[in-house]
Amino acid sequence: MPSPYRFSLNHHTWQFASLAELMAKATPLRSGDQLAGLAAVSAEERVIAQMTLADLPLTEFLNTPLLPYEADDVTRLIIDSHDALAFAPIKHLSVGEFREWLLSDDTSSADLAKARAGITPEMAAAVSKIMRNQDLILVAKKCQVTTAFRNTIGLPNRLSTRLQPNHPTDDLNGIAASILDGLMYGSGDAVIGINPATDNVRQATRLLHMLDDIIQGYQIPTQSCVLTHVTNTLECIEQGAPVDLVFQSIGGTQATNQSFGVELSMLQEAMDAALSLKRGTVGNNVMYFETGQGSSLSANAHHGVDQQTLEARAYAVARQFNPLLVNTVVGFIGPEYLYDGKQITRAGLEDHFCGKLLGLPMGCDVCYTNHAEADQNDMDNLLTLLAAAGCTYFMGIPGADDIMLNYQTTSFHDALYARRLLGLGAAPEFKAWLERMQIMSNASEATLSTQLPIGFSRALARLPSGNRA
């Protein structure tokens, strides 16, 4: 029996054995799909797959799950949570017609918001595969997603940052000095988030108390997070630690999440526990998720599905828990999955587009590992493109060099560049704090003050002790 996924041209017919194969071969080239043996073998085959995909009805993704419903809880989540009413205005479209609808001037931000619960991750991934970079940027810009905890993230003409003060030995003085440095550059409104070098409950609690001392002591309208495993955070909450956000890395298949030591029920338990603390002041989005293309393949949990589609499926998991922040760590896994600056750039734009289309507050860790064929100029390009696309937030790290995780990302200065270039401001509550503290004389233009701000003149003397238990 011939495959339903076929395309004929000039008396030649191409056939694709399954929807998963068609999706994989329609994907712009990347090393991870080549490593998995899923990529198109030629540019011709890729274009034919994209043309075949463009003619496919959107309903095909509801009728033909890429992973079996009975065997994968992410598939069950996607199917069970699908909103038929939201899908109704676009259910008659093909993938190609869906692209035209997204790009149409007649399709507003409000229309996209109404449709998002009817769009599955596979639909988002499929349409992204037939879009140019400029298409991804334009549609993502139209998608408005706002979340809140102690400040409001994702408002129009705003750009937030995660202040990432990692330290190779978790020295509290070193971390606090990096936090002070970041605050002086207007960084930290998305979150002040630490990747602990030593990942256990005792260390997480120690770091949480230090972060809370700084935030409460200076009355900073932001939130903290220690990026430890969700089970550690649950234990920290039980012990009375000041937890703002619950962090977890997630993936697009049940097996990927199991490789992270995570079940969906565990995420629900953690969200409920964080909500019970009632630490938010202007909102109650308490979850923070990180993702990245290639995580399922690296865990041998991809089931023959391409890495970009699985990345979009991870966003279904994130969407279920109403997160404050979602972050694609786009170049972190390495060149085995995204080989060079061109592939990293394309992946970052795809991830941001798919996440925003599905209703997530998408940020991006614009980054690369030292053995990738990329450099900081590539990151400048991606940063600029994503900022133009309305990316919610970027990373802020001293010198763009994470000395604990050993990778290259974006600095406090890079966020200032993007804000200045596009006339973007920090989150409104954080912006008001920056001006009140005289850190910035005009935070909407990211103009640095020329002197040490009020309240910070004795800041170094008040840094927390490195010996605190």
Side-chain angles (χ1 to χ4, degrees):
M1 182 177 178
S3 166
Y5 310 112
R6 60 185 185 272
F7 188 88
S8 296
L9 180 68
N10 296 332
H11 308 292
H12 183 79
T13 298
W14 289 263
Q15 296 198 64
F16 303 91
S18 66
L19 182 56
E21 180 182 341
L22 175 62
M23 292 278 279
K25 293 194 172 182
T27 306
L29 183 65
R30 60 210 54 196
S31 53
D33 291 337
Q34 291 178 307
L35 179 66
L38 303 176
V41 297
S42 66
E44 179 186 39
E45 186 180 34
R46 183 172 303 107
V47 169
I48 292 297
Q50 290 171 340
M51 294 170 70
T52 307
L53 185 61
D55 289 337
L56 206 65
L58 291 179
T59 52
E60 182 70 12
F61 298 100
L62 297 175
N63 299 329
T64 311
L66 295 179
L67 277 71
Y69 181 93
E70 300 78 11
D72 184 82
D73 61 4
V74 177
T75 297
R76 293 195 292 274
L77 174 63
I78 292 168
I79 298 299
D80 294 348
S81 63
H82 182 255
D83 188 328
L85 186 62
F87 183 56
I90 59 173
K91 69 178 296 184
H92 62 287
L93 299 178
S94 68
V95 173
E97 291 167 337
F98 184 39
R99 171 186 174 272
E100 293 172 1
W101 181 80
L102 292 170
L103 289 166
S104 172
D105 289 340
D106 294 331
T107 303
S108 66
S109 296
D111 294 326
L112 294 176
K114 289 177 184 176
R116 65 177 51 144
I119 302 170
T120 68
E122 292 85 353
M123 295 175 194
V127 75
S128 75
K129 295 176 192 296
I130 64 168
M131 297 173 82
R132 294 172 59 184
N133 286 1
Q134 66 175 239
D135 298 339
L136 299 173
I137 293 167
L138 187 61
V139 176
K141 180 70 172 179
K142 286 202 288 187
C143 297
Q144 296 295 323
V145 182
T146 305
T147 57
F149 189 76
R150 289 201 189 96
N151 57 35
T152 309
I153 306 294
L155 292 169
N157 301 314
R158 304 284 176 170
L159 175 62
S160 295
T161 56
R162 170 188 161 188
L163 204 172
Q164 186 170 316
N166 295 344
H167 192 280
T169 64
D170 285 340
D171 178 76
L172 295 189
N173 286 322
I175 291 171
S178 291
I179 292 173
L180 176 61
D181 188 23
L183 291 172
M184 293 286 287
Y185 283 99
S187 182
D189 51 337
V191 64
I192 303 176
I194 302 172
N195 298 90
T198 304
D199 192 6
N200 57 50
V201 173
R202 181 178 180 276
Q203 185 70 345
T205 300
R206 181 170 174 254
L207 294 171
L208 285 165
H209 278 291
M210 186 209 77
L211 289 172
D212 193 56
D213 286 348
I214 292 174
I215 290 173
Q216 300 302 329
Y218 290 109
Q219 298 182 316
I220 308 171
T222 191
Q223 37 282 330
S224 69
C225 186
V226 173
L227 282 69
T228 187
H229 193 270
V230 63
T231 53
N232 287 344
T233 303
L234 272 168
E235 198 168 335
C236 289
I237 292 173
E238 291 170 1
Q239 294 180 9
V243 172
D244 289 343
L245 304 184
V246 176
F247 167 81
Q248 184 55 49
S249 295
I250 55 172
T253 70
Q254 180 174 344
T256 307
N257 289 321
Q258 287 173 342
S259 76
F260 292 140
V262 175
E263 301 283 349
L264 299 184
S265 59
M266 192 183 299
L267 298 176
Q268 184 65 54
E269 180 186 359
M271 184 175 78
D272 292 342
L275 286 171
S276 72
L277 300 179
K278 298 180 179 179
R279 291 176 59 82
T281 56
V282 297
N284 59 0
N285 299 111
V286 296
M287 303 299 283
Y288 173 17
F289 296 115
E290 285 191 352
T291 65
Q293 289 193 30
S295 59
S296 293
L297 177 57
S298 68
N300 195 28
H302 64 292
H303 305 291
V305 180
D306 69 273
Q307 66 184 38
Q308 189 257 332
T309 299
L310 292 180
E311 171 73 4
R313 281 170 54 95
Y315 302 155
V317 177
R319 184 166 64 173
Q320 180 69 12
F321 300 100
N322 302 314
L324 180 76
L325 306 167
V326 179
N327 175 38
T328 169
V329 192
V330 67
F332 182 73
I333 302 181
E336 298 84 0
Y337 306 96
L338 296 169
Y339 178 72
D340 57 16
K342 182 175 182 178
Q343 291 189 12
I344 292 170
T345 296
R346 174 69 190 189
L349 294 175
E350 290 169 347
D351 294 351
H352 179 251
F353 161 82
C354 288
K356 291 288 284 292
L357 186 62
L358 294 169
L360 292 175
M362 286 301 296
C364 184
D365 192 344
V366 177
C367 64
Y368 63 100
T369 57
N370 288 314
H371 61 310
E373 291 295 321
D375 59 27
Q376 212 64 33
N377 285 328
D378 295 310
M379 299 306 102
D380 285 350
N381 294 342
L382 179 54
L383 175 79
T384 304
L385 294 173
L386 284 171
C391 191
T392 303
Y393 70 105
F394 298 117
M395 304 299 111
I397 297 178
D401 182 11
D402 192 311
I403 58 174
M404 196 279 283
L405 293 175
N406 293 309
Y407 78 115
Q408 309 305 310
T409 179
T410 48
S411 70
F412 306 137
H413 303 77
D414 294 330
L416 286 179
Y417 148 76
R419 285 175 175 167
R420 286 170 174 160
L421 177 70
L422 298 173
L424 305 174
E429 301 88 348
F430 192 79
K431 172 181 179 291
W433 180 82
L434 291 171
E435 293 173 341
R436 186 169 66 252
M437 297 294 289
Q438 296 183 9
I439 294 173
M440 290 186 176
S441 58
N442 185 341
S444 64
E445 296 181 1
T447 304
L448 293 172
S449 175
T450 58
Q451 60 185 7
L452 200 64
I454 295 172
F456 275 58
S457 59
R458 295 182 298 277
L460 292 176
R462 295 175 56 190
L463 290 179
S465 170
N467 296 320
R468 177 171 176 171

